[in-house]
Amino acid sequence: MRTSHDFLFKVSVIGDGRVGKTSLIKRFTKGNFDTNYAITIGAQFSEYKQVIEGDKITLFFWDIAGQDCFHFVRPSFYVKSHAAIIVYSLETNKFGKQSYRNILNWYREIKQFCGDIPIVLFANKADLIKEKNLNKAKIQSLIDNLDLWNYYITSAKSGKGVPHAFNSLIENLYHQYISITTNH
Ligand code: GDP
């Protein structure tokens, strides 16, 4: 029997204010959803534990406020992230479109403060659109251009896609780190 390993991963969750970052983390870690909006002040984190192949993984999801007013404090919250999730909203209104355009800014900010860490994209609020109207080729080409790990269609409200999105990230992170650990 091999000895088990313990991993601790910090995952920063970023994107425009109100795209659903807090709701996604809450949905995944606590299994519930709140329609009331409460602004995240600076940042807050949620702990989540999982066991994969006998190894214990502790995750800290850092929910980082996207509003401009937190611009100066954000860099300190990114410190030592192992991965990042960029969230945007699929709403077809101005807000949703702006959150899509801002993906590039969030990507640049992560690169600047975290370096070359894995990044995934969550396209959230999928319950507000018809999935058949979604231009997946456009999202995939953005993923390819920015060399992101993957994208996931999520709804924090209905819960659809949320476990798959988070679990895929966790499993990929785990496999990346376990291969480094066991090769040494
Ligand atoms: P944050 O500022 O990015 O953390 O966004 P919040 O998680 O606070 O969500 C902002 C608002 O959008 C809240 O009123 C949520 O109830 C709502 N919301 C979040 N996720 C979803 C979703 O998947 N679908 C819908 N319809 N509303 C959502």
Side-chain angles (χ1 to χ4, degrees):
M1 208 178 93
R2 73 169 175 87
T3 47
S4 72
H5 299 279
D6 287 1
F7 293 99
L8 202 155
F9 295 133
K10 173 177 175 179
V11 179
S12 286
V13 184
I14 194 66
D16 286 7
R18 302 185 86 110
V19 292
K21 300 179 294 298
T22 307
S23 304
L24 281 163
I25 296 170
K26 205 168 167 197
R27 167 63 77 185
F28 181 64
T29 60
K30 300 198 175 74
N32 56 24
F33 178 79
D34 193 348
T35 46
N36 297 318
Y37 175 62
I39 187 170
T40 305
I41 308 293
Q44 57 193 20
F45 69 84
S46 304
E47 189 181 343
Y48 183 81
K49 287 181 187 290
Q50 189 161 322
V51 176
I52 304 181
E53 294 172 24
D55 295 323
K56 290 192 198 101
I57 303 159
T58 304
L59 291 125
F60 287 101
F61 291 106
W62 278 70
D63 177 4
I64 300 179
Q67 284 81 358
D68 283 347
C69 54
F70 298 111
H71 175 76
F72 291 105
V73 292
R74 257 197 313 270
S76 60
F77 296 127
Y78 287 128
V79 172
K80 295 197 173 147
S81 296
H82 296 87
I85 300 171
I86 301 177
V87 184
Y88 78 100
S89 170
L90 288 169
E91 283 161 282
T92 50
N93 57 18
K94 212 170 133 191
F95 167 77
K97 287 179 182 147
Q98 187 61 40
S99 76
Y100 179 81
R101 279 194 292 274
N102 279 337
I103 292 170
L104 195 57
N105 296 332
W106 295 117
Y107 169 83
R108 290 191 182 121
E109 196 166 292
I110 293 162
K111 288 278 161 192
Q112 183 183 356
F113 298 110
C114 305
D116 200 14
I117 58 168
I119 305 171
V120 294
L121 181 68
F122 285 11
N124 190 42
K125 304 202 185 183
D127 57 285
L128 297 178
I129 57 141
K130 288 196 172 71
E131 205 171 321
K132 66 175 171 45
N133 295 337
L134 198 62
N135 186 346
K136 291 188 179 170
K138 187 175 150 195
I139 309 175
Q140 188 58 53
S141 104
L142 181 73
I143 297 297
D144 295 341
N145 288 337
L146 300 181
D147 200 19
L148 306 189
W149 262 8
N150 212 340
Y151 78 89
Y152 301 93
I153 311 290
T154 60
S155 167
K157 186 172 184 181
S158 73
K160 198 174 166 203
V162 177
H164 173 64
F166 278 97
N167 285 327
S168 301
L169 171 63
I170 296 168
E171 275 167 33
N172 287 333
L173 256 183
Y174 165 73
H175 283 114
Q176 191 183 55
Y177 278 84
I178 193 74
S179 66
I180 299 169
T181 308
T182 49
N183 282 339
H184 283 85

